[in-house]
Amino acid sequence: GQNIDQPTEMTATEGAIVQINCTYQTSGFNGLFWYQQHAGEAPTFLSYNVLDGLEEKGRFSSFLSRSKGYSYLLLKELQMKDSASYLCAVMDSNYQLIWGAGTKLIIKP
Amino acid sequence: DAMVIQNPRYQVTQFGKPVTLSCSQTLNHNVMYWYQQKSSQAPKLLFHYYDKDFNNEADTPDNFQSRRPNTSFCFLDIRSPGLGDAAMYLCATGTGTENSPLHFGNGTRLTVT
């Protein structure tokens, strides 16, 4: 079966750095997406990785290792507005998105 | 701005009373998706359209139906809502190709009384 695993909840301090991990087992691989979702709102796109390595986009970076079935999202200089759920999703060989349940990130002052 | 719009933002319906949720897009994307999302869970794909081709997920109840009259609009019909159908319903669009993220509407939160 297809499976995406990520921690249920993480806590971090304003101004710090946090890394949210995602491991996956899917039928084929056509890329991995990270989305941010604030409570009661729709997911918004953060990043896409299809090749191994690190993609940096401002305070957010995403890493992929296809051989390990592993990705992480790195958030630097945390702000209170970063409190949200972060969803990892993999596009399988049929171009369908397989979603993780999301990691709820709590930022404390 | 090109976008995905869902109406209404909040919908209350009675147990067993049919309800229709709507979605429109100005992105001209081929694919439109309907997801159901319950609290602290992953979005669950109900069905999607690739152009006019309808694709139903195997575990989507018959109670849920969809229509896509044209490229821009897609509707989710819940024929007889039960209490378990209370959720956020998300419409998304995409090109159906790799490296193309889904674009989501703001969602419709459905309450069943």
Side-chain angles (χ1 to χ4, degrees), chain A residues 4-105:
Chain A
I4 309 271
D5 284 316
Q6 44 182 139
T8 305
E9 187 174 295
M10 299 182 72
T11 302
T13 305
E14 191 177 14
I17 299 173
V18 72
Q19 177 175 311
I20 302 174
N21 295 325
C22 170
T23 57
Y24 63 89
Q25 289 179 308
T26 56
S27 303
F29 180 83
N30 277 309
L32 185 145
F33 296 84
W34 283 97
Y35 282 82
Q36 180 190 60
Q37 187 175 26
H38 285 101
E41 298 183 11
T44 55
F45 170 71
L46 289 178
S47 68
Y48 171 77
N49 294 71
V50 69
L51 299 176
D52 290 349
L54 189 68
E55 294 277 343
E56 297 188 73
K57 220 188 245 188
R59 293 189 299 115
F60 293 7
S61 304
S62 55
F63 171 83
L64 175 68
S65 169
R66 288 171 296 171
S67 62
K68 295 181 180 176
Y70 168 70
S71 174
Y72 67 72
L73 180 70
L74 191 72
L75 292 77
K76 301 177 188 173
E77 301 168 20
L78 285 169
Q79 302 174 9
M80 297 303 293
K81 68 177 182 179
D82 298 328
S83 291
S85 286
Y86 291 85
L87 296 147
C88 173
V90 172
M91 185 171 276
D92 69 10
S93 56
N94 294 318
Y95 298 101
Q96 297 300 311
L97 272 184
I98 311 302
W99 292 85
T103 297
K104 183 177 180 181
L105 179 63

Side-chain angles (χ1 to χ4, degrees), chain B residues 74-86:
Chain B
C74 197
F75 300 97
L76 170 62
D77 301 308
I78 308 177
R79 295 196 293 192
S80 181
L83 297 179
D85 297 327

Side-chain angles (χ1 to χ4, degrees), chain A residues 91 93-96, chain B residues 25 28-34 45-57 66-74 92-98 100 102:
Chain A
M91 185 171 276
S93 56
N94 294 318
Y95 298 101
Q96 297 300 311
Chain B
Q25 57 136 340
N28 206 33
H29 282 164
N30 300 98
V31 193
M32 293 187 80
Y33 305 82
W34 278 106
L45 183 63
L46 296 174
F47 22 61
H48 72 278
Y49 279 91
Y50 196 109
D51 293 324
K52 289 182 182 260
D53 291 335
F54 177 70
N55 298 273
N56 198 34
E57 293 301 299
S66 184
R67 298 169 281 137
R68 188 180 186 185
N70 53 52
T71 302
S72 302
F73 286 88
C74 197
T93 71
T95 62
T97 58
E98 65 182 55
S100 173
L102 298 189

